[in-house]
Amino acid sequence: MTDITASPSGAPGPAPAFLTATRVFYDAVAEDYAEHFREELVSRPLERALLAVYAELVGAGGRVADLGCGPGRTTRRLASLGLDVSGLDLSESMLAIARRENPGIRFEHGSMLELDFPDGALAGAVSFYSTIHTPVDELPALFAELHRVLAPGGHLLLAFQVGDEPRRHEHPWGRPVTLDFERRRPEQMEKLLAGAGFAMLSRTVREPDADLAEKVPQAFLIARRPSA
């Protein structure tokens, strides 16, 4: 079945190829991915600390969307930190795992490029390694959409791998799918965020951890929609 998305006129049309490729990839690897990264945050103390800082910035009970939530591990962590969090993902297979493992959290199907939230509805938005399949020329539209759904004073957290060349994953866990994982420079992302109206609060870059088989640094940006 062909994916559809709304065109600027509101009429349905074919989804961009990168969205379809992303959905197909994660539908194919969902169970393998969820098992492989089951204890992902356990071995990443800096990431846990940054999520705690982010939760404090948003404030207890703040409404937050975890965009590209996958199996919902980061979503669950944010909920444990006192946020009113929901998850969103393109992959129905990933969402099935997230709902199975987190029955008390709401998970919905959708695209970050067309969020089903009213203007200013969210106190926070999190994109933990989920912009990495979005082409760079689509990022301004994506960040504009994130800016739209955040209330004035709302906070955005982005995580991504640092670099200039994508990494191609071919046939992971023996599945017949391939997808490019884009790497970005923090300065590039900060410029795009500023162009969408965000004010930067922090930039954290962690060196690669050989014990986690990482090849490149990991970047974490926190930005804010200005109050005025």
PDB file of all heavy atoms in Angstrom, residues 15 24 62 70 95 97 114 123 125 135 142 161 200 209:
ATOM      1  N   ALA A  15       3.645  10.014  -0.044  1.00  0.00           N
ATOM      2  CA  ALA A  15       4.619  10.473   0.941  1.00  0.00           C
ATOM      3  C   ALA A  15       5.982  10.623   0.278  1.00  0.00           C
ATOM      4  O   ALA A  15       6.308   9.899  -0.670  1.00  0.00           O
ATOM      5  CB  ALA A  15       4.715   9.472   2.079  1.00  0.00           C
ATOM      6  N   VAL A  24       9.669   1.618   6.029  1.00  0.00           N
ATOM      7  CA  VAL A  24       9.911   0.232   5.608  1.00  0.00           C
ATOM      8  C   VAL A  24      11.087  -0.367   6.377  1.00  0.00           C
ATOM      9  O   VAL A  24      11.041  -1.523   6.832  1.00  0.00           O
ATOM     10  CB  VAL A  24      10.157   0.177   4.089  1.00  0.00           C
ATOM     11  CG1 VAL A  24      10.685  -1.188   3.659  1.00  0.00           C
ATOM     12  CG2 VAL A  24       8.868   0.511   3.330  1.00  0.00           C
ATOM     13  N   GLY A  62       4.844  18.962  32.324  1.00  0.00           N
ATOM     14  CA  GLY A  62       4.841  19.591  31.008  1.00  0.00           C
ATOM     15  C   GLY A  62       4.505  18.595  29.912  1.00  0.00           C
ATOM     16  O   GLY A  62       4.965  17.451  29.935  1.00  0.00           O
ATOM     17  N   GLY A  70      10.455   5.295  18.320  1.00  0.00           N
ATOM     18  CA  GLY A  70      10.873   3.903  18.225  1.00  0.00           C
ATOM     19  C   GLY A  70      10.150   3.039  19.243  1.00  0.00           C
ATOM     20  O   GLY A  70       8.941   3.182  19.456  1.00  0.00           O
ATOM     21  N   LEU A  95       5.802   1.055  16.964  1.00  0.00           N
ATOM     22  CA  LEU A  95       4.746   1.492  17.869  1.00  0.00           C
ATOM     23  C   LEU A  95       4.114   0.316  18.602  1.00  0.00           C
ATOM     24  O   LEU A  95       3.740   0.432  19.775  1.00  0.00           O
ATOM     25  CB  LEU A  95       3.683   2.263  17.087  1.00  0.00           C
ATOM     26  CG  LEU A  95       4.121   3.636  16.563  1.00  0.00           C
ATOM     27  CD1 LEU A  95       3.095   4.180  15.584  1.00  0.00           C
ATOM     28  CD2 LEU A  95       4.331   4.618  17.712  1.00  0.00           C
ATOM     29  N   ILE A  97       5.611  -2.334  19.635  1.00  0.00           N
ATOM     30  CA  ILE A  97       6.515  -2.660  20.734  1.00  0.00           C
ATOM     31  C   ILE A  97       6.385  -1.622  21.845  1.00  0.00           C
ATOM     32  O   ILE A  97       6.305  -1.963  23.036  1.00  0.00           O
ATOM     33  CB  ILE A  97       7.963  -2.738  20.235  1.00  0.00           C
ATOM     34  CG1 ILE A  97       8.118  -3.849  19.200  1.00  0.00           C
ATOM     35  CG2 ILE A  97       8.931  -2.938  21.399  1.00  0.00           C
ATOM     36  CD1 ILE A  97       9.429  -3.815  18.444  1.00  0.00           C
ATOM     37  N   GLU A 114       4.459  16.727   9.809  1.00  0.00           N
ATOM     38  CA  GLU A 114       3.044  17.118   9.858  1.00  0.00           C
ATOM     39  C   GLU A 114       2.467  16.658  11.189  1.00  0.00           C
ATOM     40  O   GLU A 114       1.775  15.650  11.269  1.00  0.00           O
ATOM     41  CB  GLU A 114       2.271  16.503   8.682  1.00  0.00           C
ATOM     42  CG  GLU A 114       2.709  17.027   7.328  1.00  0.00           C
ATOM     43  CD  GLU A 114       1.982  16.345   6.179  1.00  0.00           C
ATOM     44  OE1 GLU A 114       1.319  15.318   6.417  1.00  0.00           O
ATOM     45  OE2 GLU A 114       2.075  16.855   5.062  1.00  0.00           O
ATOM     46  N   ALA A 123       4.832  21.848  25.681  1.00  0.00           N
ATOM     47  CA  ALA A 123       5.884  22.476  26.476  1.00  0.00           C
ATOM     48  C   ALA A 123       7.262  21.998  26.037  1.00  0.00           C
ATOM     49  O   ALA A 123       8.272  22.629  26.342  1.00  0.00           O
ATOM     50  CB  ALA A 123       5.679  22.170  27.955  1.00  0.00           C
ATOM     51  N   ALA A 125       9.492  19.236  22.965  1.00  0.00           N
ATOM     52  CA  ALA A 125       9.580  18.248  21.891  1.00  0.00           C
ATOM     53  C   ALA A 125      10.979  17.645  21.928  1.00  0.00           C
ATOM     54  O   ALA A 125      11.967  18.365  22.128  1.00  0.00           O
ATOM     55  CB  ALA A 125       9.303  18.885  20.534  1.00  0.00           C
ATOM     56  N   PRO A 135      16.386  14.468   4.888  1.00  0.00           N
ATOM     57  CA  PRO A 135      17.366  15.180   4.061  1.00  0.00           C
ATOM     58  C   PRO A 135      17.573  16.602   4.562  1.00  0.00           C
ATOM     59  O   PRO A 135      16.645  17.234   5.101  1.00  0.00           O
ATOM     60  CB  PRO A 135      16.722  15.173   2.666  1.00  0.00           C
ATOM     61  CG  PRO A 135      15.772  14.013   2.685  1.00  0.00           C
ATOM     62  CD  PRO A 135      15.258  13.949   4.092  1.00  0.00           C
ATOM     63  N   LEU A 142      11.015  20.987   8.819  1.00  0.00           N
ATOM     64  CA  LEU A 142      10.843  20.208  10.044  1.00  0.00           C
ATOM     65  C   LEU A 142      10.982  21.094  11.275  1.00  0.00           C
ATOM     66  O   LEU A 142      10.145  21.048  12.197  1.00  0.00           O
ATOM     67  CB  LEU A 142      11.869  19.082  10.080  1.00  0.00           C
ATOM     68  CG  LEU A 142      11.971  18.286  11.385  1.00  0.00           C
ATOM     69  CD1 LEU A 142      10.637  17.682  11.765  1.00  0.00           C
ATOM     70  CD2 LEU A 142      13.043  17.218  11.279  1.00  0.00           C
ATOM     71  N   GLN A 161      24.324  12.012  15.565  1.00  0.00           N
ATOM     72  CA  GLN A 161      25.743  11.720  15.425  1.00  0.00           C
ATOM     73  C   GLN A 161      26.432  12.850  14.673  1.00  0.00           C
ATOM     74  O   GLN A 161      25.851  13.451  13.769  1.00  0.00           O
ATOM     75  CB  GLN A 161      25.944  10.404  14.677  1.00  0.00           C
ATOM     76  CG  GLN A 161      25.479   9.185  15.449  1.00  0.00           C
ATOM     77  CD  GLN A 161      25.820   7.894  14.737  1.00  0.00           C
ATOM     78  OE1 GLN A 161      26.141   7.881  13.555  1.00  0.00           O
ATOM     79  NE2 GLN A 161      25.766   6.791  15.462  1.00  0.00           N
ATOM     80  N   MET A 200      19.289  29.092  21.089  1.00  0.00           N
ATOM     81  CA  MET A 200      20.069  27.987  21.635  1.00  0.00           C
ATOM     82  C   MET A 200      20.294  28.169  23.132  1.00  0.00           C
ATOM     83  O   MET A 200      20.575  29.270  23.605  1.00  0.00           O
ATOM     84  CB  MET A 200      21.416  27.883  20.927  1.00  0.00           C
ATOM     85  CG  MET A 200      21.324  27.435  19.475  1.00  0.00           C
ATOM     86  SD  MET A 200      20.504  25.826  19.286  1.00  0.00           S
ATOM     87  CE  MET A 200      21.473  24.822  20.415  1.00  0.00           C
ATOM     88  N   ASP A 209      32.318   6.328  22.347  1.00  0.00           N
ATOM     89  CA  ASP A 209      32.628   5.351  23.384  1.00  0.00           C
ATOM     90  C   ASP A 209      32.915   4.015  22.707  1.00  0.00           C
ATOM     91  O   ASP A 209      32.026   3.390  22.133  1.00  0.00           O
ATOM     92  CB  ASP A 209      31.433   5.234  24.337  1.00  0.00           C
ATOM     93  CG  ASP A 209      31.722   4.363  25.546  1.00  0.00           C
ATOM     94  OD1 ASP A 209      32.577   3.462  25.441  1.00  0.00           O
ATOM     95  OD2 ASP A 209      31.080   4.579  26.593  1.00  0.00           O
TER      96      ASP A 209
END
